[in-house]
Amino acid sequence: MKKILVAVGSGLKGGNTDQLADAFIQGARENGHEVQKFFLGGTDLHGCMGCGACQKNGNRCAVKDVMQQIYPYLEECDTIVMASPLYFWTLSSQIKAFFDRMYALSKENIYPQKDTVLLMTSEDDTETTFDRPDSYYRFIVKALGWNNTGTYYAGGCHMKDGKKQVPERHLNGAWLLGKSM
Ligand SMILES: Cc1cc2nc3c(=O)[nH]c(=O)nc-3n(C[C@H](O)[C@H](O)[C@H](O)COP(=O)(O)O)c2cc1C
């Protein structure tokens, strides 16, 4: 049984990214894993201040926001799952801030060992739609010494009958990735 933390970096509860994350979570729970989900949109999440306090204060971040609830789970989880809509060809600002704030987990640029997953949604659906965030994600995960255990990119999430909609095949794909954890 793994401890999995899911950070949803979308502004829309129940939106496409939230739906994709929930499908992943369902699969992971069905496989017996413990999942803790945090929805970052609409919270007081701040970017990193770069003050360096976390490097002097035993990994305690000085910014008093939603990350203070998340840090204990980040420390103990095996897998960090980040879910993001594609915003202007890259990750959402919430997920970027979440990444930057994980600096507080490090000591002398060494990070605790974690597996990671990236889930994304977008309207476009071409071969290159997710190239930029995919390349950034793979680069940073390697740079921090982490282990990418899967990505799922759901392109073609269009409005249908006035509602946001993730195609069923993508919900199934994310569920399967969750099951494979
Ligand atoms: C500010 C903004 C920028 C976006 N940029 C892109 C983009 O570059 N490419 C794309 O395919 N879709 C883009 N979209 C559409 C979203 O990626 C897509 O609707 C996504 O599934 C929304 O997820 P959500 O329901 O979790 O917000 C953008 C949407 C917004 C609001």
Side-chain angles (χ1 to χ4, degrees):
M1 195 267 293
K2 285 183 188 159
K3 288 187 178 180
I4 300 177
L5 184 154
V6 179
V8 183
S10 160
L12 278 182
K13 261 200 182 137
N16 292 338
T17 314
D18 203 17
Q19 287 174 37
L20 196 73
D22 281 346
F24 174 93
I25 290 169
Q26 196 187 327
R29 286 194 174 134
E30 283 173 20
N31 226 11
H33 300 304
E34 188 184 309
V35 185
Q36 185 72 40
K37 176 183 173 188
F38 292 95
F39 191 87
L40 301 176
T43 67
D44 60 352
L45 176 69
H46 286 273
C48 174
M49 287 205 303
C51 65
C54 57
Q55 302 302 302
K56 295 175 209 138
N57 298 339
N59 299 92
R60 273 197 298 281
C61 176
V63 184
K64 302 295 176 232
D65 64 2
V66 66
M67 287 303 292
Q68 298 300 334
Q69 293 164 39
I70 301 177
Y71 281 130
Y73 292 96
L74 269 175
E75 277 164 23
E76 67 176 26
C77 74
D78 305 291
T79 306
I80 303 170
V81 180
M82 286 154 286
S84 174
L86 185 72
Y87 271 10
F88 293 114
W89 300 277
T90 190
L91 298 166
S92 69
S93 52
Q94 289 95 336
I95 287 299
K96 181 61 170 68
F98 181 73
F99 253 123
D100 293 348
R101 296 291 297 286
M102 287 196 274
Y103 178 54
L105 303 179
S106 69
K107 265 192 199 92
E108 290 162 11
N109 284 326
I110 307 290
Y111 286 76
Q113 189 53 53
K114 302 286 174 190
D115 289 338
T116 61
V117 170
L118 179 63
L119 309 173
M120 292 194 74
T121 66
S122 73
E123 273 176 25
D124 289 350
D125 194 14
T126 72
E127 272 183 20
T128 59
T129 295
F130 295 99
D131 277 3
R132 289 158 196 85
D134 180 75
S135 142
Y136 173 73
Y137 165 74
R138 286 175 197 277
F139 182 88
I140 189 138
V141 161
K142 208 170 163 194
L144 303 190
W146 289 349
N147 176 38
N148 169 36
T149 50
T151 56
Y152 194 90
Y153 302 141
C157 295
H158 295 292
M159 299 286 273
K160 198 174 165 205
D161 303 327
K163 281 171 80 182
K164 292 208 158 200
Q165 195 119 346
V166 182
E168 200 56 41
R169 70 180 192 284
H170 287 321
L171 294 176
N172 195 44
W175 174 78
L176 276 173
L177 181 58
K179 283 281 266 186
S180 77
M181 289 292 112

